[in-house]
Amino acid sequence: MVFDNQTRNFKSREVQICPSNQEEIIVQVAYTTICSSDLHTYCGRRSLDAPTILGHEIIGYITHLPPMTTTDYTGTPINEGDLITWCIYAYDSEDAIALEGYPQKSASLYKYGHHPFSNTELNGGFATHCILKKGTAIFKLPTHLTLYEATPLNCSHATIAGAMRLAGDVKDKTILVYGAGMLGLSAIAMSKAQGAKHIIVCDVNEKRLSTATLFGATHTFQSTHDTESIKQQIAQLKINAVLDTTGIPAVMEQGIELSAIGATNVWIGAVFNQSATQINAETIIRKLITIKGLHNYTPDDLKNAVAFLSQHHNTFPFKDLAKNEFALEQLEEAFDCANKTQQYRVGIKATL
């Protein structure tokens, strides 16, 4: 289903699967979820080269495996028929930026669900098949995870695993999470699993705040209420780390204001054009605050996300977030549903 950003429509296309080289893996897509960034593109808030096969939160079954590929990124043996997830990008491990520890910023980066479509380039999740390029880190999925649970691993959960890495040790610390969408819930759950003492969550949506408590939130605040009162209550706790998933300048500014001495602020939500964020440099200096930005993640972050969900899938009710599921042929209806209902994720099950 190919997206045209001029008409905002999806068009059905049939192509012959034809790997361009012997090192590519062919995957039959099992499930794809509509990510917020897919919605940004669909609604015109973010531009991509088009036409495009959208969808980067993907899992699928291997239907063709090159002879030289016998294990996944972790060294686990893999075979045709195995259910896998993979990094949302392929990269050259010898790229200079990759060697510095930032593979997601490599010069030759190839992103799934973002790259322009051609008649042979099946690279997005809203299709029956996806062709994985050389340089894609793949991971065999545990069989006890449901399709819905596992699909957001290579975007939401991997991104938060990266954010937790940047935040540092949170055991017995107080964490402030802005936004209780899928990213926020993942941040809450991982903070809880890593032993955070207090997990404070702010969101405009009261229903989402209620859900946040099921994932480990100890304090919740509805952002539409008295801002000053909320700030005073939060300030009574020593905020050691702030994770912002909203990308809203005023919210990120508030996180800096509420940070305790030595706190780390990790920003992951500001991935679209917006007004400038106003920061008081003196505050940063005197409070010894660190600000870190994260865009996408490393393969090790996805490895850690898979391990987290495999261990804690029964601890936190990610599988209960599924409310709507559509067939691939119903993609426009699915996007309209995701846009209007603000579900955590709407699922797309590919059909042949």
Side-chain angles (χ1 to χ4, degrees):
M1 299 296 290
V2 181
F3 178 70
D4 184 333
N5 64 358
Q6 299 297 321
T7 63
R8 306 286 172 207
N9 291 325
F10 293 94
K11 295 183 179 180
S12 177
R13 294 284 301 274
E14 291 188 7
V15 301
Q16 182 175 355
I17 296 176
C18 182
S20 61
N21 66 63
Q22 294 183 347
E23 296 182 77
E24 293 180 342
I25 299 171
I26 301 176
V27 174
Q28 180 178 319
V29 177
Y31 211 79
T32 307
T33 43
I34 299 176
C35 178
S36 297
S37 56
D38 290 320
L39 275 178
H40 290 325
T41 302
Y42 179 73
C43 297
R45 295 187 292 267
R46 188 184 70 160
S47 61
L48 286 179
D49 291 334
T52 312
I53 302 176
L54 294 176
H56 52 271
E57 290 187 346
I58 330 167
I59 59 174
Y61 298 98
I62 299 172
T63 61
H64 169 74
L65 194 64
M68 67 287 292
T69 304
T70 58
T71 62
D72 70 2
Y73 182 82
T74 67
T76 302
I78 55 171
N79 298 283
E80 291 184 2
D82 285 342
L83 182 64
I84 62 170
T85 186
W86 55 92
C87 281
I88 60 173
Y89 58 83
Y91 71 103
D92 179 1
S93 61
E94 297 302 315
D95 180 274
I97 298 178
L99 292 173
E100 291 178 13
Y102 308 108
Q104 71 270 44
K105 291 299 174 183
S106 301
S108 59
L109 198 73
Y110 179 95
K111 291 188 70 174
Y112 297 101
H114 295 74
H115 203 76
F117 167 77
S118 70
N119 286 339
T120 59
E121 203 132 19
L122 293 171
N123 53 27
F126 300 131
T128 59
H129 294 77
C130 188
I131 298 177
L132 306 187
K133 299 287 187 181
K134 177 185 177 181
T136 304
I138 64 174
F139 299 82
K140 183 177 178 178
L141 286 169
T143 57
H144 56 261
L145 297 180
T146 66
L147 296 182
Y148 181 85
E149 283 177 304
T151 303
L153 271 167
N154 75 337
C155 183
S156 296
H157 300 318
T159 298
I160 293 301
M164 298 302 295
R165 167 173 54 83
L166 295 181
D169 183 10
V170 301
K171 184 175 175 57
D172 296 324
K173 303 290 182 61
T174 298
I175 313 301
L176 173 57
V177 178
Y178 283 113
M182 183 65 86
L183 285 168
L185 294 182
S186 183
I188 297 161
M190 289 192 194
S191 296
K192 182 71 173 180
Q194 293 182 27
K197 183 177 182 180
H198 300 295
I199 304 170
I200 306 166
V201 183
C202 295
D203 196 282
V204 297
N205 189 311
E206 186 176 4
K207 185 176 180 180
R208 287 195 169 188
L209 288 174
S210 178
T211 301
T213 62
L214 302 177
F215 287 80
T218 58
H219 303 70
T220 61
F221 297 95
Q222 190 172 6
S223 304
T224 54
H225 291 173
D226 187 344
T227 303
E228 288 304 316
S229 174
I230 291 174
K231 286 164 60 177
Q232 289 175 13
Q233 293 178 69
I234 294 176
Q236 294 177 13
L237 297 168
K238 180 182 177 182
I239 307 299
N240 305 113
V242 180
L243 279 71
D244 175 73
T245 71
T246 70
I248 300 172
V251 173
M252 292 185 285
E253 292 164 11
Q254 185 184 99
I256 295 292
E257 180 184 350
L258 294 175
S259 292
I261 292 174
T264 297
N265 283 245
V266 183
W267 293 350
I268 60 178
V271 291
F272 47 89
N273 290 330
Q274 56 188 289
S275 58
T277 303
Q278 304 296 316
I279 299 175
N280 187 313
E282 183 182 5
T283 299
I284 301 298
I285 293 170
R286 291 191 180 278
K287 294 173 71 173
L288 309 176
I289 291 172
T290 300
I291 301 173
K292 297 181 179 181
L294 179 70
H295 185 227
N296 296 329
Y297 54 83
T298 69
D300 280 342
D301 293 328
L302 179 52
K303 179 187 73 174
N304 292 334
V306 173
F308 161 77
L309 192 61
S310 178
Q311 181 179 355
H312 296 286
H313 74 107
N314 283 330
T315 307
F316 306 107
F318 285 107
K319 62 179 176 293
D320 296 337
L321 300 178
K323 300 296 182 183
N324 297 94
E325 183 178 279
F326 295 84
L328 182 61
E329 295 81 0
Q330 301 172 300
L331 195 55
E332 289 191 13
E333 184 181 348
F335 266 82
D336 286 340
C337 174
N339 191 40
K340 293 175 182 177
T341 63
Q342 295 185 330
Q343 297 295 326
Y344 291 99
R345 286 295 185 269
V346 168
I348 308 297
K349 197 166 186 178
T351 54
L352 295 174

